[in-house]
PDB file of all heavy atoms in Angstrom:
ATOM      1  N   PRO A   1      -2.007  10.371  10.334  1.00  0.00           N
ATOM      2  CA  PRO A   1      -1.278   9.197   9.837  1.00  0.00           C
ATOM      3  C   PRO A   1      -0.731   9.446   8.442  1.00  0.00           C
ATOM      4  O   PRO A   1      -1.394  10.067   7.596  1.00  0.00           O
ATOM      5  CB  PRO A   1      -2.344   8.099   9.838  1.00  0.00           C
ATOM      6  CG  PRO A   1      -3.326   8.530  10.886  1.00  0.00           C
ATOM      7  CD  PRO A   1      -3.366  10.023  10.803  1.00  0.00           C
ATOM      8  N   LEU A   2       0.464   8.954   8.195  1.00  0.00           N
ATOM      9  CA  LEU A   2       1.134   9.202   6.917  1.00  0.00           C
ATOM     10  C   LEU A   2       0.743   8.196   5.850  1.00  0.00           C
ATOM     11  O   LEU A   2       1.008   8.425   4.664  1.00  0.00           O
ATOM     12  CB  LEU A   2       2.649   9.200   7.129  1.00  0.00           C
ATOM     13  CG  LEU A   2       3.144  10.277   8.106  1.00  0.00           C
ATOM     14  CD1 LEU A   2       4.623  10.095   8.410  1.00  0.00           C
ATOM     15  CD2 LEU A   2       2.868  11.671   7.552  1.00  0.00           C
ATOM     16  N   LEU A   3       0.128   7.099   6.263  1.00  0.00           N
ATOM     17  CA  LEU A   3      -0.359   6.085   5.334  1.00  0.00           C
ATOM     18  C   LEU A   3      -1.712   5.562   5.812  1.00  0.00           C
ATOM     19  O   LEU A   3      -1.940   5.421   7.017  1.00  0.00           O
ATOM     20  CB  LEU A   3       0.619   4.906   5.233  1.00  0.00           C
ATOM     21  CG  LEU A   3       1.869   5.078   4.374  1.00  0.00           C
ATOM     22  CD1 LEU A   3       2.895   3.993   4.724  1.00  0.00           C
ATOM     23  CD2 LEU A   3       1.529   5.011   2.892  1.00  0.00           C
ATOM     24  N   LEU A   4      -2.580   5.277   4.853  1.00  0.00           N
ATOM     25  CA  LEU A   4      -3.866   4.641   5.123  1.00  0.00           C
ATOM     26  C   LEU A   4      -3.996   3.446   4.181  1.00  0.00           C
ATOM     27  O   LEU A   4      -3.829   3.589   2.971  1.00  0.00           O
ATOM     28  CB  LEU A   4      -5.007   5.634   4.882  1.00  0.00           C
ATOM     29  CG  LEU A   4      -6.419   5.062   4.738  1.00  0.00           C
ATOM     30  CD1 LEU A   4      -6.872   4.394   6.028  1.00  0.00           C
ATOM     31  CD2 LEU A   4      -7.404   6.159   4.334  1.00  0.00           C
ATOM     32  N   PHE A   5      -4.263   2.260   4.735  1.00  0.00           N
ATOM     33  CA  PHE A   5      -4.434   1.036   3.952  1.00  0.00           C
ATOM     34  C   PHE A   5      -5.864   0.525   4.108  1.00  0.00           C
ATOM     35  O   PHE A   5      -6.437   0.602   5.192  1.00  0.00           O
ATOM     36  CB  PHE A   5      -3.491  -0.070   4.443  1.00  0.00           C
ATOM     37  CG  PHE A   5      -2.051   0.106   4.062  1.00  0.00           C
ATOM     38  CD1 PHE A   5      -1.236   0.997   4.749  1.00  0.00           C
ATOM     39  CD2 PHE A   5      -1.496  -0.618   3.014  1.00  0.00           C
ATOM     40  CE1 PHE A   5       0.093   1.160   4.408  1.00  0.00           C
ATOM     41  CE2 PHE A   5      -0.164  -0.463   2.667  1.00  0.00           C
ATOM     42  CZ  PHE A   5       0.629   0.432   3.365  1.00  0.00           C
ATOM     43  N   GLN A   6      -6.407  -0.031   3.034  1.00  0.00           N
ATOM     44  CA  GLN A   6      -7.653  -0.795   3.127  1.00  0.00           C
ATOM     45  C   GLN A   6      -7.527  -2.036   2.262  1.00  0.00           C
ATOM     46  O   GLN A   6      -7.217  -1.945   1.068  1.00  0.00           O
ATOM     47  CB  GLN A   6      -8.873   0.021   2.683  1.00  0.00           C
ATOM     48  CG  GLN A   6     -10.177  -0.783   2.780  1.00  0.00           C
ATOM     49  CD  GLN A   6     -11.416   0.050   2.507  1.00  0.00           C
ATOM     50  OE1 GLN A   6     -11.505   1.215   2.905  1.00  0.00           O
ATOM     51  NE2 GLN A   6     -12.396  -0.538   1.817  1.00  0.00           N
ATOM     52  N   VAL A   7      -7.758  -3.195   2.860  1.00  0.00           N
ATOM     53  CA  VAL A   7      -7.796  -4.465   2.129  1.00  0.00           C
ATOM     54  C   VAL A   7      -9.253  -4.898   2.036  1.00  0.00           C
ATOM     55  O   VAL A   7      -9.921  -5.086   3.061  1.00  0.00           O
ATOM     56  CB  VAL A   7      -6.955  -5.545   2.823  1.00  0.00           C
ATOM     57  CG1 VAL A   7      -7.092  -6.879   2.091  1.00  0.00           C
ATOM     58  CG2 VAL A   7      -5.478  -5.124   2.868  1.00  0.00           C
ATOM     59  N   THR A   8      -9.752  -5.040   0.813  1.00  0.00           N
ATOM     60  CA  THR A   8     -11.145  -5.412   0.571  1.00  0.00           C
ATOM     61  C   THR A   8     -11.206  -6.766  -0.112  1.00  0.00           C
ATOM     62  O   THR A   8     -10.728  -6.926  -1.238  1.00  0.00           O
ATOM     63  CB  THR A   8     -11.847  -4.355  -0.308  1.00  0.00           C
ATOM     64  OG1 THR A   8     -11.704  -3.060   0.294  1.00  0.00           O
ATOM     65  CG2 THR A   8     -13.318  -4.689  -0.481  1.00  0.00           C
ATOM     66  N   ARG A   9     -11.764  -7.752   0.580  1.00  0.00           N
ATOM     67  CA  ARG A   9     -11.917  -9.094   0.011  1.00  0.00           C
ATOM     68  C   ARG A   9     -13.101  -9.124  -0.952  1.00  0.00           C
ATOM     69  O   ARG A   9     -14.146  -8.516  -0.689  1.00  0.00           O
ATOM     70  CB  ARG A   9     -12.120 -10.114   1.132  1.00  0.00           C
ATOM     71  CG  ARG A   9     -10.904 -10.264   2.055  1.00  0.00           C
ATOM     72  CD  ARG A   9     -11.227 -11.117   3.281  1.00  0.00           C
ATOM     73  NE  ARG A   9     -12.081 -10.383   4.208  1.00  0.00           N
ATOM     74  CZ  ARG A   9     -11.662  -9.828   5.340  1.00  0.00           C
ATOM     75  NH1 ARG A   9     -10.384  -9.918   5.695  1.00  0.00           N
ATOM     76  NH2 ARG A   9     -12.500  -9.188   6.145  1.00  0.00           N
ATOM     77  N   LEU A  10     -12.959  -9.847  -2.076  1.00  0.00           N
ATOM     78  CA  LEU A  10     -13.996  -9.934  -3.098  1.00  0.00           C
ATOM     79  C   LEU A  10     -14.643 -11.320  -3.097  1.00  0.00           C
ATOM     80  O   LEU A  10     -14.038 -12.294  -2.636  1.00  0.00           O
ATOM     81  CB  LEU A  10     -13.404  -9.633  -4.478  1.00  0.00           C
ATOM     82  CG  LEU A  10     -12.625  -8.314  -4.609  1.00  0.00           C
ATOM     83  CD1 LEU A  10     -12.060  -8.181  -6.015  1.00  0.00           C
ATOM     84  CD2 LEU A  10     -13.501  -7.118  -4.265  1.00  0.00           C
ATOM     85  N   ARG A  11     -15.855 -11.424  -3.623  1.00  0.00           N
ATOM     86  CA  ARG A  11     -16.577 -12.702  -3.653  1.00  0.00           C
ATOM     87  C   ARG A  11     -15.867 -13.760  -4.483  1.00  0.00           C
ATOM     88  O   ARG A  11     -16.036 -14.952  -4.253  1.00  0.00           O
ATOM     89  CB  ARG A  11     -17.996 -12.485  -4.207  1.00  0.00           C
ATOM     90  CG  ARG A  11     -18.962 -11.874  -3.209  1.00  0.00           C
ATOM     91  CD  ARG A  11     -20.411 -12.076  -3.631  1.00  0.00           C
ATOM     92  NE  ARG A  11     -20.745 -11.318  -4.828  1.00  0.00           N
ATOM     93  CZ  ARG A  11     -21.062 -11.852  -6.002  1.00  0.00           C
ATOM     94  NH1 ARG A  11     -21.082 -13.160  -6.146  1.00  0.00           N
ATOM     95  NH2 ARG A  11     -21.379 -11.080  -7.027  1.00  0.00           N
ATOM     96  N   CYS A  12     -15.053 -13.335  -5.439  1.00  0.00           N
ATOM     97  CA  CYS A  12     -14.370 -14.284  -6.320  1.00  0.00           C
ATOM     98  C   CYS A  12     -13.118 -14.882  -5.689  1.00  0.00           C
ATOM     99  O   CYS A  12     -12.466 -15.740  -6.278  1.00  0.00           O
ATOM    100  CB  CYS A  12     -14.008 -13.608  -7.633  1.00  0.00           C
ATOM    101  SG  CYS A  12     -12.924 -12.163  -7.429  1.00  0.00           S
ATOM    102  N   GLY A  13     -12.762 -14.444  -4.492  1.00  0.00           N
ATOM    103  CA  GLY A  13     -11.543 -14.921  -3.843  1.00  0.00           C
ATOM    104  C   GLY A  13     -10.369 -13.973  -4.018  1.00  0.00           C
ATOM    105  O   GLY A  13      -9.331 -14.132  -3.371  1.00  0.00           O
ATOM    106  N   GLY A  14     -10.519 -12.990  -4.905  1.00  0.00           N
ATOM    107  CA  GLY A  14      -9.493 -11.969  -5.048  1.00  0.00           C
ATOM    108  C   GLY A  14      -9.657 -10.890  -3.991  1.00  0.00           C
ATOM    109  O   GLY A  14     -10.512 -10.984  -3.094  1.00  0.00           O
ATOM    110  N   PHE A  15      -8.851  -9.859  -4.092  1.00  0.00           N
ATOM    111  CA  PHE A  15      -8.960  -8.753  -3.142  1.00  0.00           C
ATOM    112  C   PHE A  15      -8.389  -7.487  -3.754  1.00  0.00           C
ATOM    113  O   PHE A  15      -7.689  -7.511  -4.774  1.00  0.00           O
ATOM    114  CB  PHE A  15      -8.250  -9.076  -1.815  1.00  0.00           C
ATOM    115  CG  PHE A  15      -6.753  -9.184  -1.899  1.00  0.00           C
ATOM    116  CD1 PHE A  15      -5.941  -8.087  -1.618  1.00  0.00           C
ATOM    117  CD2 PHE A  15      -6.142 -10.388  -2.248  1.00  0.00           C
ATOM    118  CE1 PHE A  15      -4.558  -8.186  -1.675  1.00  0.00           C
ATOM    119  CE2 PHE A  15      -4.756 -10.500  -2.312  1.00  0.00           C
ATOM    120  CZ  PHE A  15      -3.964  -9.396  -2.028  1.00  0.00           C
ATOM    121  N   VAL A  16      -8.710  -6.384  -3.126  1.00  0.00           N
ATOM    122  CA  VAL A  16      -8.207  -5.071  -3.530  1.00  0.00           C
ATOM    123  C   VAL A  16      -7.413  -4.481  -2.381  1.00  0.00           C
ATOM    124  O   VAL A  16      -7.876  -4.473  -1.232  1.00  0.00           O
ATOM    125  CB  VAL A  16      -9.365  -4.115  -3.902  1.00  0.00           C
ATOM    126  CG1 VAL A  16      -8.815  -2.770  -4.371  1.00  0.00           C
ATOM    127  CG2 VAL A  16     -10.267  -4.731  -4.955  1.00  0.00           C
ATOM    128  N   LEU A  17      -6.222  -4.009  -2.675  1.00  0.00           N
ATOM    129  CA  LEU A  17      -5.443  -3.237  -1.711  1.00  0.00           C
ATOM    130  C   LEU A  17      -5.430  -1.795  -2.197  1.00  0.00           C
ATOM    131  O   LEU A  17      -4.918  -1.502  -3.281  1.00  0.00           O
ATOM    132  CB  LEU A  17      -4.009  -3.757  -1.594  1.00  0.00           C
ATOM    133  CG  LEU A  17      -3.041  -2.845  -0.819  1.00  0.00           C
ATOM    134  CD1 LEU A  17      -3.470  -2.712   0.637  1.00  0.00           C
ATOM    135  CD2 LEU A  17      -1.607  -3.344  -0.919  1.00  0.00           C
ATOM    136  N   ALA A  18      -6.026  -0.911  -1.421  1.00  0.00           N
ATOM    137  CA  ALA A  18      -5.999   0.517  -1.732  1.00  0.00           C
ATOM    138  C   ALA A  18      -5.274   1.230  -0.606  1.00  0.00           C
ATOM    139  O   ALA A  18      -5.377   0.841   0.555  1.00  0.00           O
ATOM    140  CB  ALA A  18      -7.417   1.066  -1.894  1.00  0.00           C
ATOM    141  N   LEU A  19      -4.530   2.246  -0.953  1.00  0.00           N
ATOM    142  CA  LEU A  19      -3.795   2.974   0.076  1.00  0.00           C
ATOM    143  C   LEU A  19      -3.680   4.435  -0.292  1.00  0.00           C
ATOM    144  O   LEU A  19      -3.883   4.825  -1.448  1.00  0.00           O
ATOM    145  CB  LEU A  19      -2.422   2.352   0.308  1.00  0.00           C
ATOM    146  CG  LEU A  19      -1.421   2.371  -0.852  1.00  0.00           C
ATOM    147  CD1 LEU A  19      -0.481   3.566  -0.731  1.00  0.00           C
ATOM    148  CD2 LEU A  19      -0.617   1.083  -0.882  1.00  0.00           C
ATOM    149  N   ARG A  20      -3.358   5.228   0.696  1.00  0.00           N
ATOM    150  CA  ARG A  20      -3.191   6.675   0.524  1.00  0.00           C
ATOM    151  C   ARG A  20      -1.897   7.090   1.207  1.00  0.00           C
ATOM    152  O   ARG A  20      -1.653   6.742   2.362  1.00  0.00           O
ATOM    153  CB  ARG A  20      -4.382   7.397   1.147  1.00  0.00           C
ATOM    154  CG  ARG A  20      -4.490   8.872   0.799  1.00  0.00           C
ATOM    155  CD  ARG A  20      -5.709   9.472   1.478  1.00  0.00           C
ATOM    156  NE  ARG A  20      -5.534   9.513   2.941  1.00  0.00           N
ATOM    157  CZ  ARG A  20      -6.511   9.756   3.785  1.00  0.00           C
ATOM    158  NH1 ARG A  20      -7.743   9.935   3.348  1.00  0.00           N
ATOM    159  NH2 ARG A  20      -6.267   9.806   5.091  1.00  0.00           N
ATOM    160  N   LEU A  21      -1.069   7.830   0.481  1.00  0.00           N
ATOM    161  CA  LEU A  21       0.247   8.248   0.969  1.00  0.00           C
ATOM    162  C   LEU A  21       0.326   9.754   1.058  1.00  0.00           C
ATOM    163  O   LEU A  21      -0.054  10.462   0.120  1.00  0.00           O
ATOM    164  CB  LEU A  21       1.328   7.741   0.006  1.00  0.00           C
ATOM    165  CG  LEU A  21       2.727   8.354   0.145  1.00  0.00           C
ATOM    166  CD1 LEU A  21       3.422   7.827   1.398  1.00  0.00           C
ATOM    167  CD2 LEU A  21       3.571   8.086  -1.096  1.00  0.00           C
ATOM    168  N   ASN A  22       0.851  10.255   2.160  1.00  0.00           N
ATOM    169  CA  ASN A  22       1.225  11.660   2.258  1.00  0.00           C
ATOM    170  C   ASN A  22       2.451  11.865   1.371  1.00  0.00           C
ATOM    171  O   ASN A  22       3.540  11.375   1.668  1.00  0.00           O
ATOM    172  CB  ASN A  22       1.540  12.000   3.718  1.00  0.00           C
ATOM    173  CG  ASN A  22       1.832  13.468   3.933  1.00  0.00           C
ATOM    174  OD1 ASN A  22       2.465  14.118   3.117  1.00  0.00           O
ATOM    175  ND2 ASN A  22       1.388  13.990   5.071  1.00  0.00           N
ATOM    176  N   HIS A  23       2.253  12.593   0.263  1.00  0.00           N
ATOM    177  CA  HIS A  23       3.288  12.654  -0.786  1.00  0.00           C
ATOM    178  C   HIS A  23       4.593  13.270  -0.311  1.00  0.00           C
ATOM    179  O   HIS A  23       5.646  13.033  -0.899  1.00  0.00           O
ATOM    180  CB  HIS A  23       2.743  13.427  -1.990  1.00  0.00           C
ATOM    181  CG  HIS A  23       3.422  13.117  -3.293  1.00  0.00           C
ATOM    182  ND1 HIS A  23       4.704  12.603  -3.385  1.00  0.00           N
ATOM    183  CD2 HIS A  23       2.988  13.250  -4.576  1.00  0.00           C
ATOM    184  CE1 HIS A  23       5.017  12.442  -4.665  1.00  0.00           C
ATOM    185  NE2 HIS A  23       4.000  12.820  -5.407  1.00  0.00           N
ATOM    186  N   THR A  24       4.568  14.067   0.748  1.00  0.00           N
ATOM    187  CA  THR A  24       5.818  14.671   1.213  1.00  0.00           C
ATOM    188  C   THR A  24       6.817  13.619   1.690  1.00  0.00           C
ATOM    189  O   THR A  24       8.021  13.878   1.740  1.00  0.00           O
ATOM    190  CB  THR A  24       5.565  15.667   2.359  1.00  0.00           C
ATOM    191  OG1 THR A  24       4.992  14.967   3.464  1.00  0.00           O
ATOM    192  CG2 THR A  24       4.642  16.787   1.925  1.00  0.00           C
ATOM    193  N   MET A  25       6.341  12.425   2.029  1.00  0.00           N
ATOM    194  CA  MET A  25       7.218  11.381   2.563  1.00  0.00           C
ATOM    195  C   MET A  25       7.988  10.635   1.484  1.00  0.00           C
ATOM    196  O   MET A  25       9.140  10.246   1.690  1.00  0.00           O
ATOM    197  CB  MET A  25       6.395  10.384   3.374  1.00  0.00           C
ATOM    198  CG  MET A  25       5.917  10.910   4.707  1.00  0.00           C
ATOM    199  SD  MET A  25       7.273  11.212   5.867  1.00  0.00           S
ATOM    200  CE  MET A  25       7.806   9.528   6.210  1.00  0.00           C
ATOM    201  N   SER A  26       7.359  10.392   0.341  1.00  0.00           N
ATOM    202  CA  SER A  26       7.969   9.539  -0.684  1.00  0.00           C
ATOM    203  C   SER A  26       7.371   9.845  -2.050  1.00  0.00           C
ATOM    204  O   SER A  26       6.230  10.326  -2.150  1.00  0.00           O
ATOM    205  CB  SER A  26       7.727   8.048  -0.382  1.00  0.00           C
ATOM    206  OG  SER A  26       8.369   7.637   0.795  1.00  0.00           O
ATOM    207  N   ASP A  27       8.137   9.504  -3.086  1.00  0.00           N
ATOM    208  CA  ASP A  27       7.592   9.499  -4.440  1.00  0.00           C
ATOM    209  C   ASP A  27       7.194   8.073  -4.797  1.00  0.00           C
ATOM    210  O   ASP A  27       7.189   7.177  -3.933  1.00  0.00           O
ATOM    211  CB  ASP A  27       8.602  10.085  -5.437  1.00  0.00           C
ATOM    212  CG  ASP A  27       9.938   9.343  -5.457  1.00  0.00           C
ATOM    213  OD1 ASP A  27      10.020   8.214  -4.912  1.00  0.00           O
ATOM    214  OD2 ASP A  27      10.907   9.879  -6.021  1.00  0.00           O
ATOM    215  N   SER A  28       6.865   7.823  -6.064  1.00  0.00           N
ATOM    216  CA  SER A  28       6.410   6.490  -6.469  1.00  0.00           C
ATOM    217  C   SER A  28       7.461   5.425  -6.209  1.00  0.00           C
ATOM    218  O   SER A  28       7.149   4.324  -5.743  1.00  0.00           O
ATOM    219  CB  SER A  28       6.030   6.499  -7.955  1.00  0.00           C
ATOM    220  OG  SER A  28       4.900   7.300  -8.178  1.00  0.00           O
ATOM    221  N   PHE A  29       8.720   5.735  -6.505  1.00  0.00           N
ATOM    222  CA  PHE A  29       9.778   4.745  -6.305  1.00  0.00           C
ATOM    223  C   PHE A  29      10.017   4.473  -4.824  1.00  0.00           C
ATOM    224  O   PHE A  29      10.285   3.337  -4.417  1.00  0.00           O
ATOM    225  CB  PHE A  29      11.079   5.215  -6.978  1.00  0.00           C
ATOM    226  CG  PHE A  29      11.051   5.152  -8.472  1.00  0.00           C
ATOM    227  CD1 PHE A  29      10.763   6.275  -9.227  1.00  0.00           C
ATOM    228  CD2 PHE A  29      11.296   3.959  -9.134  1.00  0.00           C
ATOM    229  CE1 PHE A  29      10.733   6.226 -10.618  1.00  0.00           C
ATOM    230  CE2 PHE A  29      11.267   3.886 -10.527  1.00  0.00           C
ATOM    231  CZ  PHE A  29      10.977   5.028 -11.271  1.00  0.00           C
ATOM    232  N   GLY A  30       9.930   5.522  -4.000  1.00  0.00           N
ATOM    233  CA  GLY A  30      10.097   5.327  -2.568  1.00  0.00           C
ATOM    234  C   GLY A  30       8.976   4.499  -1.972  1.00  0.00           C
ATOM    235  O   GLY A  30       9.208   3.614  -1.139  1.00  0.00           O
ATOM    236  N   LEU A  31       7.740   4.764  -2.402  1.00  0.00           N
ATOM    237  CA  LEU A  31       6.610   3.966  -1.938  1.00  0.00           C
ATOM    238  C   LEU A  31       6.742   2.525  -2.391  1.00  0.00           C
ATOM    239  O   LEU A  31       6.475   1.594  -1.618  1.00  0.00           O
ATOM    240  CB  LEU A  31       5.295   4.558  -2.450  1.00  0.00           C
ATOM    241  CG  LEU A  31       4.040   3.752  -2.140  1.00  0.00           C
ATOM    242  CD1 LEU A  31       3.815   3.628  -0.637  1.00  0.00           C
ATOM    243  CD2 LEU A  31       2.817   4.358  -2.813  1.00  0.00           C
ATOM    244  N   LEU A  32       7.144   2.330  -3.647  1.00  0.00           N
ATOM    245  CA  LEU A  32       7.321   0.968  -4.152  1.00  0.00           C
ATOM    246  C   LEU A  32       8.348   0.207  -3.319  1.00  0.00           C
ATOM    247  O   LEU A  32       8.154  -0.974  -3.002  1.00  0.00           O
ATOM    248  CB  LEU A  32       7.760   0.995  -5.619  1.00  0.00           C
ATOM    249  CG  LEU A  32       8.055  -0.377  -6.217  1.00  0.00           C
ATOM    250  CD1 LEU A  32       6.772  -1.178  -6.397  1.00  0.00           C
ATOM    251  CD2 LEU A  32       8.784  -0.252  -7.552  1.00  0.00           C
ATOM    252  N   GLN A  33       9.427   0.873  -2.935  1.00  0.00           N
ATOM    253  CA  GLN A  33      10.456   0.228  -2.114  1.00  0.00           C
ATOM    254  C   GLN A  33       9.856  -0.258  -0.795  1.00  0.00           C
ATOM    255  O   GLN A  33      10.133  -1.381  -0.344  1.00  0.00           O
ATOM    256  CB  GLN A  33      11.587   1.221  -1.851  1.00  0.00           C
ATOM    257  CG  GLN A  33      12.735   0.667  -1.025  1.00  0.00           C
ATOM    258  CD  GLN A  33      13.817   1.702  -0.804  1.00  0.00           C
ATOM    259  OE1 GLN A  33      14.317   2.311  -1.751  1.00  0.00           O
ATOM    260  NE2 GLN A  33      14.179   1.931   0.457  1.00  0.00           N
ATOM    261  N   PHE A  34       9.004   0.577  -0.202  1.00  0.00           N
ATOM    262  CA  PHE A  34       8.348   0.185   1.051  1.00  0.00           C
ATOM    263  C   PHE A  34       7.378  -0.970   0.828  1.00  0.00           C
ATOM    264  O   PHE A  34       7.356  -1.943   1.597  1.00  0.00           O
ATOM    265  CB  PHE A  34       7.624   1.382   1.655  1.00  0.00           C
ATOM    266  CG  PHE A  34       6.799   1.051   2.862  1.00  0.00           C
ATOM    267  CD1 PHE A  34       7.389   0.567   4.013  1.00  0.00           C
ATOM    268  CD2 PHE A  34       5.418   1.227   2.843  1.00  0.00           C
ATOM    269  CE1 PHE A  34       6.624   0.255   5.134  1.00  0.00           C
ATOM    270  CE2 PHE A  34       4.650   0.928   3.955  1.00  0.00           C
ATOM    271  CZ  PHE A  34       5.251   0.433   5.102  1.00  0.00           C
ATOM    272  N   LEU A  35       6.576  -0.897  -0.227  1.00  0.00           N
ATOM    273  CA  LEU A  35       5.612  -1.973  -0.505  1.00  0.00           C
ATOM    274  C   LEU A  35       6.323  -3.281  -0.830  1.00  0.00           C
ATOM    275  O   LEU A  35       5.843  -4.363  -0.465  1.00  0.00           O
ATOM    276  CB  LEU A  35       4.691  -1.569  -1.655  1.00  0.00           C
ATOM    277  CG  LEU A  35       3.705  -0.441  -1.358  1.00  0.00           C
ATOM    278  CD1 LEU A  35       2.911  -0.083  -2.608  1.00  0.00           C
ATOM    279  CD2 LEU A  35       2.766  -0.808  -0.220  1.00  0.00           C
ATOM    280  N   ASN A  36       7.458  -3.202  -1.495  1.00  0.00           N
ATOM    281  CA  ASN A  36       8.242  -4.420  -1.757  1.00  0.00           C
ATOM    282  C   ASN A  36       8.741  -5.030  -0.449  1.00  0.00           C
ATOM    283  O   ASN A  36       8.777  -6.257  -0.302  1.00  0.00           O
ATOM    284  CB  ASN A  36       9.415  -4.122  -2.683  1.00  0.00           C
ATOM    285  CG  ASN A  36       8.999  -4.027  -4.144  1.00  0.00           C
ATOM    286  OD1 ASN A  36       7.973  -4.582  -4.545  1.00  0.00           O
ATOM    287  ND2 ASN A  36       9.789  -3.331  -4.940  1.00  0.00           N
ATOM    288  N   ALA A  37       9.097  -4.176   0.514  1.00  0.00           N
ATOM    289  CA  ALA A  37       9.515  -4.681   1.829  1.00  0.00           C
ATOM    290  C   ALA A  37       8.356  -5.409   2.498  1.00  0.00           C
ATOM    291  O   ALA A  37       8.524  -6.506   3.062  1.00  0.00           O
ATOM    292  CB  ALA A  37      10.007  -3.532   2.700  1.00  0.00           C
ATOM    293  N   VAL A  38       7.149  -4.821   2.437  1.00  0.00           N
ATOM    294  CA  VAL A  38       5.972  -5.467   3.020  1.00  0.00           C
ATOM    295  C   VAL A  38       5.696  -6.796   2.321  1.00  0.00           C
ATOM    296  O   VAL A  38       5.416  -7.817   2.976  1.00  0.00           O
ATOM    297  CB  VAL A  38       4.735  -4.543   2.913  1.00  0.00           C
ATOM    298  CG1 VAL A  38       3.493  -5.252   3.459  1.00  0.00           C
ATOM    299  CG2 VAL A  38       4.967  -3.239   3.677  1.00  0.00           C
ATOM    300  N   SER A  39       5.773  -6.810   0.987  1.00  0.00           N
ATOM    301  CA  SER A  39       5.470  -8.036   0.237  1.00  0.00           C
ATOM    302  C   SER A  39       6.500  -9.131   0.497  1.00  0.00           C
ATOM    303  O   SER A  39       6.149 -10.314   0.592  1.00  0.00           O
ATOM    304  CB  SER A  39       5.384  -7.728  -1.262  1.00  0.00           C
ATOM    305  OG  SER A  39       6.642  -7.378  -1.806  1.00  0.00           O
ATOM    306  N   GLU A  40       7.764  -8.769   0.631  1.00  0.00           N
ATOM    307  CA  GLU A  40       8.800  -9.766   0.926  1.00  0.00           C
ATOM    308  C   GLU A  40       8.569 -10.390   2.304  1.00  0.00           C
ATOM    309  O   GLU A  40       8.679 -11.611   2.468  1.00  0.00           O
ATOM    310  CB  GLU A  40      10.182  -9.112   0.854  1.00  0.00           C
ATOM    311  CG  GLU A  40      10.621  -8.748  -0.555  1.00  0.00           C
ATOM    312  CD  GLU A  40      11.865  -7.891  -0.588  1.00  0.00           C
ATOM    313  OE1 GLU A  40      12.383  -7.535   0.500  1.00  0.00           O
ATOM    314  OE2 GLU A  40      12.322  -7.561  -1.688  1.00  0.00           O
ATOM    315  N   ILE A  41       8.240  -9.558   3.288  1.00  0.00           N
ATOM    316  CA  ILE A  41       7.981 -10.073   4.637  1.00  0.00           C
ATOM    317  C   ILE A  41       6.718 -10.924   4.645  1.00  0.00           C
ATOM    318  O   ILE A  41       6.638 -11.955   5.328  1.00  0.00           O
ATOM    319  CB  ILE A  41       7.892  -8.899   5.631  1.00  0.00           C
ATOM    320  CG1 ILE A  41       9.276  -8.253   5.788  1.00  0.00           C
ATOM    321  CG2 ILE A  41       7.366  -9.365   6.986  1.00  0.00           C
ATOM    322  CD1 ILE A  41       9.282  -6.958   6.574  1.00  0.00           C
ATOM    323  N   ALA A  42       5.712 -10.520   3.843  1.00  0.00           N
ATOM    324  CA  ALA A  42       4.470 -11.303   3.749  1.00  0.00           C
ATOM    325  C   ALA A  42       4.744 -12.706   3.228  1.00  0.00           C
ATOM    326  O   ALA A  42       4.014 -13.654   3.543  1.00  0.00           O
ATOM    327  CB  ALA A  42       3.474 -10.592   2.843  1.00  0.00           C
TER     328      ALA A  42
END
């Protein structure tokens, strides 16, 4: 898999989103563009 996501809910009501990217696919700006697409759809 080219991406791995983990969403961890916290006791305070917050959460952590951690992910792992195969760097050959994108740089920081390319990944940000994808994450912005996910956040807009969310």
Side-chain angles (χ1 to χ4, degrees):
L2 299 172
L3 282 163
L4 164 64
F5 286 78
Q6 180 173 322
V7 176
T8 306
R9 295 171 287 256
L10 307 178
R11 283 198 292 114
C12 59
F15 68 94
V16 182
L17 168 64
L19 64 96
R20 192 180 68 193
L21 165 73
N22 185 322
H23 203 337
T24 62
M25 287 293 291
S26 295
D27 58 14
S28 293
F29 288 97
L31 175 62
L32 176 70
Q33 181 180 307
F34 174 63
L35 291 177
N36 281 337
V38 177
S39 68
E40 289 170 358
I41 291 171

